[in-house]
Amino acid sequence: MKIWIDIVNAPHVRFFHSIIRYLENQGEEVFITARRFGDVHRLLDLFGIEYNLVGWHGVSLEEKLIRSTQRAYELSQIISREKPDVAVSKHSIELPRVSYGLKIPSVYVLDNEHAIAANKLTLPLCDHIILPEVIEKEAVVGCGADPNHLYPYNGTSEITHLVDFQYNPNIFQDLKLDLDKEKTILMRPEPALASYLDADCRKTVLSPIVDALEDQANILVIPRFREQQQIFEDDEQITLIKPPVDTFSLMKACDLVIGAGGTMNREAALLGTPVISCYPGKLLSVDSYYIEKGLMKRSTRPEEIVGMARELLKDDHQHGKLPTDDLFKIIIDHIYQIVTG
């Protein structure tokens, strides 16, 4: 069997890593395509995954349309030659459109019900849509998904990220970090280039939080792109972390994670690190899930976030393991099921 997997964002590399390795070990042929965006290609290299770079990510609405159209065209030519038996992706815009046009059955992993434009372009064309059960079906059916094609599970997509994770307790030393304070906070800016978030990539909601906490803890920041790096690079009290790095070990070694995005917050929560979400957009159902389980705190008010951070830094906070379905097995089963019928 030949499986086509399209990887379009950095977190998807870790998401698909264990799935790719399993399929290859089963003797299946896995054909990987990736979009030029952020650190996707560097992470693929770090994990030793062979891939084909196809197309770019756009910034403005006009550029997004042009780049996506170009990428769909290029993928159509490539995939028509490769002739895969099944197509698999997580929030790829182009894979559902190409696989539908070439009559290739598709498995689609969804975790963002607020990405309306992307969901309208993709969900009506997908054969199997795997999504967290906390996402209301009406939200995706309203974007055109066939309710008979929805397969909900208990948990979130970050479950698969931990399948083969091995903690490196020497991560600070390996990165040669000069940390002179007792506590360390890892921060991640918002996904300002995403179509579902109205944000300025030259600013970040983290700035006032950094200013208030940098005298009390070591501050590590992982910017998403050059503009975000420029926001902090003149502050000598900030340590900028340049991907690709072992972010899982880094999050586990830190005392607190403050994130204006989503994936890294949820990963940190699963690793047992206290997390504060300051995502400036409408809260996703998957984030509400972690908040309700007591694994994540949430605020968009800088002064409240600073207060939460100071409290969380005072003591070691432990929480129990989150009971979830085996998403890795669910995805593997759907890949084989959709081919064999």
Side-chain angles (χ1 to χ4, degrees):
M1 183 169 66
K2 178 183 280 191
I3 302 104
W4 168 34
I5 298 179
D6 190 32
I7 296 178
V8 298
N9 205 353
H12 304 173
V13 178
R14 191 178 285 277
F15 177 85
F16 281 115
H17 176 249
S18 58
I19 294 169
I20 292 168
R21 292 294 178 244
Y22 175 86
L23 291 169
E24 290 176 337
N25 289 336
Q26 294 299 307
E28 316 296 359
E29 182 180 354
V30 184
F31 182 76
I32 309 295
T33 55
R35 178 178 64 174
R36 295 175 180 87
F37 178 51
D39 300 301
V40 171
H41 62 292
R42 296 187 185 91
L43 286 168
L44 286 165
D45 292 337
L46 181 68
F47 279 91
I49 298 173
E50 294 186 8
Y51 58 95
N52 302 269
L53 275 178
V54 183
W56 299 79
H57 174 270
V59 177
S60 67
L61 285 176
E62 180 183 4
E63 193 175 68
K64 287 179 189 293
L65 175 61
I66 293 171
R67 291 277 174 86
S68 181
T69 304
Q70 291 173 333
R71 189 167 192 265
Y73 173 71
E74 291 181 43
L75 284 171
S76 298
Q77 294 180 306
I78 294 169
I79 299 305
S80 63
R81 293 195 302 266
E82 292 293 329
K83 294 180 170 54
D85 299 291
V86 58
V88 187
S89 70
K90 183 175 187 288
H91 283 284
S92 166
I93 298 292
E94 292 80 30
L95 179 140
R97 300 160 83 179
V98 172
S99 60
Y100 182 83
L102 296 176
K103 295 186 178 180
I104 301 166
S106 63
V107 177
Y108 195 80
V109 182
L110 169 79
D111 64 6
N112 186 342
E113 73 272 31
H114 298 324
I116 303 298
N119 290 343
K120 285 184 175 181
L121 289 169
T122 56
L123 299 185
L125 308 178
C126 299
D127 298 296
H128 287 208
I129 303 170
I130 300 172
L131 73 166
E133 62 183 21
V134 294
I135 293 180
E136 294 184 1
K137 289 185 178 180
E138 291 77 9
V140 290
V141 172
C143 288
D146 186 330
N148 296 316
H149 293 175
L150 303 181
Y151 298 89
Y153 67 93
N154 176 36
T156 70
S157 63
E158 287 75 21
I159 297 166
T160 68
H161 299 194
L162 296 173
V163 170
D164 52 8
F165 168 62
Q166 292 183 331
Y167 176 52
N168 174 16
N170 301 313
I171 185 66
F172 288 163
Q173 296 92 319
D174 291 351
L175 294 176
K176 298 179 173 58
L177 300 181
D178 183 16
L179 307 178
D180 57 358
K181 298 180 179 68
E182 181 183 356
K183 301 289 186 175
T184 301
I185 304 173
L186 179 66
M187 299 192 188
R188 177 75 156 165
E190 58 269 43
L193 295 180
S195 59
Y196 53 82
L197 184 64
D198 183 13
D200 185 343
C201 66
R202 293 170 294 277
K203 299 178 181 178
T204 175
V205 298
L206 291 178
S207 293
I209 303 167
V210 169
D211 292 341
L213 293 172
E214 61 184 3
D215 291 333
Q216 302 169 47
N218 306 300
I219 306 294
L220 313 180
V221 177
I222 305 181
R224 295 173 183 271
F225 33 80
R226 177 60 184 167
E227 288 85 355
Q228 289 181 341
Q229 179 179 329
Q230 291 172 337
I231 296 171
F232 299 106
E233 61 186 5
D234 292 332
D235 190 333
E236 295 182 356
Q237 296 194 69
I238 303 300
T239 301
L240 290 172
I241 305 295
K242 185 177 181 180
V245 298
D246 181 1
T247 52
F248 267 36
S249 290
L250 192 60
M251 286 187 287
K252 190 172 180 62
C254 286
D255 301 285
L256 175 65
V257 170
I258 301 177
T263 299
M264 194 169 287
N265 289 347
R266 297 187 289 271
E267 290 172 340
L270 289 173
L271 289 166
T273 303
V275 187
I276 302 172
S277 168
C278 56
Y279 175 64
K282 187 177 180 182
L283 193 65
L284 298 181
S285 296
V286 287
D287 290 324
S288 297
Y289 172 78
Y290 281 88
I291 293 168
E292 291 168 3
K293 296 294 183 181
L295 304 184
M296 185 188 300
K297 293 188 179 296
R298 158 80 172 171
S299 177
T300 55
R301 294 171 52 224
E303 64 277 11
E304 186 176 23
I305 294 166
V306 171
M308 288 179 179
R310 288 171 177 159
E311 286 298 315
L312 290 170
L313 290 173
K314 286 181 180 179
D315 304 300
D316 291 331
H317 293 261
Q318 302 293 330
H319 60 68
K321 187 176 181 181
L322 186 67
T324 62
D325 292 337
D326 188 346
L327 180 57
F328 171 84
K329 183 178 185 302
I330 290 170
I331 294 172
I332 294 296
D333 288 348
H334 275 271
I335 290 173
Y336 282 100
Q337 178 186 340
I338 203 171
V339 173
T340 60

Coordinates of all heavy atoms in Angstrom, one line a residue, residues 174-203:
D174 N 22.7 21.1 27.0 CA 22.9 20.8 25.6 C 22.7 22.0 24.7 O 23.4 22.2 23.7 CB 22.0 19.7 25.1 CG 22.3 18.3 25.7 OD1 23.4 18.2 26.4 OD2 21.5 17.4 25.6
L175 N 21.8 22.9 25.2 CA 21.5 24.1 24.4 C 22.4 25.3 24.8 O 22.3 26.4 24.3 CB 20.0 24.5 24.6 CG 19.0 23.6 23.9 CD1 17.6 24.1 24.2 CD2 19.2 23.5 22.4
K176 N 23.3 25.0 25.8 CA 24.2 26.0 26.3 C 23.5 27.2 26.8 O 24.0 28.3 26.5 CB 25.3 26.3 25.3 CG 26.2 25.1 24.9 CD 27.2 25.5 23.8 CE 28.2 24.3 23.6 NZ 27.5 23.1 23.1
L177 N 22.5 27.0 27.6 CA 21.7 28.1 28.1 C 22.3 28.7 29.4 O 22.7 27.9 30.3 CB 20.3 27.7 28.4 CG 19.5 27.2 27.2 CD1 18.1 26.8 27.6 CD2 19.4 28.2 26.0
D178 N 22.5 30.0 29.4 CA 23.1 30.7 30.6 C 21.9 31.1 31.5 O 21.4 32.2 31.3 CB 24.0 31.8 30.2 CG 24.6 32.5 31.4 OD1 24.7 31.9 32.5 OD2 25.1 33.6 31.2
L179 N 21.5 30.3 32.4 CA 20.3 30.6 33.2 C 20.8 30.9 34.7 O 21.3 30.1 35.4 CB 19.4 29.4 33.2 CG 19.0 28.9 31.8 CD1 18.1 27.7 32.0 CD2 18.3 30.0 31.1
D180 N 20.6 32.2 35.1 CA 21.1 32.6 36.4 C 20.0 32.7 37.4 O 20.3 33.0 38.6 CB 21.8 33.9 36.3 CG 20.9 35.0 35.7 OD1 19.8 34.7 35.3 OD2 21.4 36.2 35.6
K181 N 18.8 32.4 37.1 CA 17.7 32.5 38.0 C 17.2 31.1 38.4 O 17.4 30.2 37.6 CB 16.5 33.4 37.5 CG 17.0 34.9 37.3 CD 15.8 35.7 36.8 CE 16.2 37.1 36.6 NZ 17.2 37.3 35.4
E182 N 16.5 31.0 39.5 CA 16.0 29.7 39.9 C 15.0 29.1 39.0 O 14.9 27.9 38.7 CB 15.5 29.8 41.4 CG 15.1 28.4 41.9 CD 14.5 28.6 43.3 OE1 14.5 29.7 43.9 OE2 14.0 27.5 43.9
K183 N 14.0 29.9 38.6 CA 12.9 29.5 37.8 C 13.0 29.9 36.3 O 13.6 30.9 36.0 CB 11.6 30.0 38.4 CG 11.3 29.7 39.8 CD 10.9 28.2 40.0 CE 10.5 27.9 41.4 NZ 10.0 26.5 41.6
T184 N 12.4 29.1 35.5 CA 12.5 29.3 34.0 C 11.1 29.2 33.4 O 10.4 28.2 33.6 CB 13.5 28.3 33.4 OG1 14.8 28.4 34.0 CG2 13.6 28.6 31.9
I185 N 10.8 30.2 32.6 CA 9.6 30.2 31.8 C 9.8 30.2 30.4 O 10.7 30.9 29.8 CB 8.8 31.5 32.1 CG1 8.5 31.7 33.6 CG2 7.4 31.5 31.4 CD1 7.9 33.1 34.0
L186 N 9.1 29.3 29.7 CA 9.2 29.2 28.2 C 7.9 29.9 27.6 O 6.8 29.6 28.1 CB 9.2 27.7 27.8 CG 9.2 27.5 26.3 CD1 10.5 28.0 25.7 CD2 9.1 26.0 26.0
M187 N 8.1 30.7 26.7 CA 7.0 31.5 26.0 C 7.0 31.3 24.5 O 8.1 31.1 23.9 CB 7.1 33.0 26.3 CG 7.1 33.3 27.8 SD 6.8 35.1 28.1 CE 7.0 35.2 29.8
R188 N 5.8 31.3 24.0 CA 5.6 31.1 22.5 C 4.6 32.1 22.0 O 3.5 32.2 22.5 CB 5.1 29.7 22.3 CG 4.7 29.3 20.8 CD 5.9 29.1 20.0 NE 5.6 28.3 18.8 CZ 6.4 28.1 17.8 NH1 7.6 28.7 17.8 NH2 6.1 27.3 16.8
P189 N 5.0 33.0 21.1 CA 4.1 34.0 20.6 C 2.9 33.4 19.8 O 2.9 32.2 19.4 CB 5.0 34.9 19.7 CG 6.4 34.5 20.1 CD 6.3 33.1 20.5
E190 N 2.0 34.3 19.4 CA 0.8 33.8 18.7 C 1.1 33.5 17.2 O 2.1 34.0 16.7 CB -0.3 34.9 18.8 CG 0.1 36.3 18.2 CD 0.7 37.2 19.3 OE1 1.5 36.7 20.1 OE2 0.4 38.4 19.3
P191 N 0.2 32.7 16.6 CA 0.4 32.4 15.2 C -0.1 33.5 14.3 O -1.2 33.4 13.6 CB -0.4 31.1 15.0 CG -1.5 31.2 16.0 CD -0.9 31.9 17.2
A192 N 0.6 34.6 14.2 CA 0.1 35.8 13.6 C -0.1 35.7 12.1 O -0.8 36.6 11.5 CB 1.1 37.0 14.0
L193 N 0.5 34.8 11.5 CA 0.4 34.6 10.0 C -0.8 33.7 9.6 O -1.1 33.5 8.4 CB 1.7 34.1 9.4 CG 2.9 35.0 9.5 CD1 4.1 34.4 8.8 CD2 2.6 36.4 8.9
A194 N -1.4 33.1 10.6 CA -2.5 32.2 10.3 C -3.8 33.0 9.8 O -4.0 34.1 10.3 CB -2.9 31.4 11.6
S195 N -4.5 32.4 8.9 CA -5.7 33.0 8.3 C -6.8 33.2 9.4 O -7.7 34.0 9.2 CB -6.2 32.2 7.1 OG -6.5 30.9 7.5
Y196 N -6.8 32.3 10.4 CA -7.9 32.4 11.4 C -7.6 33.3 12.5 O -8.5 33.4 13.4 CB -8.1 30.9 12.0 CG -6.9 30.3 12.5 CD1 -6.4 30.6 13.8 CD2 -6.2 29.3 11.8 CE1 -5.3 29.9 14.3 CE2 -5.1 28.7 12.3 CZ -4.6 29.0 13.5 OH -3.5 28.4 14.0
L197 N -6.5 34.1 12.5 CA -6.2 35.0 13.6 C -5.9 36.4 13.0 O -4.9 36.5 12.2 CB -5.0 34.5 14.4 CG -4.7 35.3 15.7 CD1 -5.8 35.4 16.7 CD2 -3.4 34.8 16.3
D198 N -6.6 37.4 13.4 CA -6.3 38.8 13.0 C -5.2 39.4 13.9 O -5.5 39.8 15.0 CB -7.6 39.6 13.0 CG -7.4 41.0 12.5 OD1 -6.3 41.3 11.9 OD2 -8.2 41.9 12.7
A199 N -4.0 39.3 13.4 CA -2.9 39.8 14.3 C -1.7 40.4 13.5 O -1.6 40.1 12.3 CB -2.3 38.6 15.1
D200 N -1.0 41.3 14.1 CA 0.2 41.9 13.5 C 1.4 41.1 13.8 O 1.8 41.0 15.0 CB 0.3 43.4 14.0 CG 1.4 44.2 13.3 OD1 2.3 43.6 12.6 OD2 1.4 45.4 13.4
C201 N 2.1 40.6 12.8 CA 3.3 39.8 13.0 C 4.5 40.5 13.6 O 5.5 39.9 14.0 CB 3.7 39.0 11.8 SG 4.3 40.1 10.4
R202 N 4.4 41.9 13.7 CA 5.5 42.7 14.2 C 5.2 43.0 15.7 O 6.0 43.8 16.3 CB 5.7 43.9 13.4 CG 6.2 43.6 12.0 CD 6.2 44.9 11.1 NE 4.9 45.3 10.9 CZ 4.1 44.8 9.9 NH1 4.5 43.8 9.1 NH2 2.8 45.3 9.7
K203 N 4.1 42.5 16.2 CA 3.8 42.7 17.6 C 3.4 41.4 18.3 O 3.1 40.4 17.6 CB 2.7 43.7 17.8 CG 2.9 45.1 17.2 CD 1.7 46.0 17.4 CE 2.0 47.4 16.8 NZ 0.7 48.3 16.9

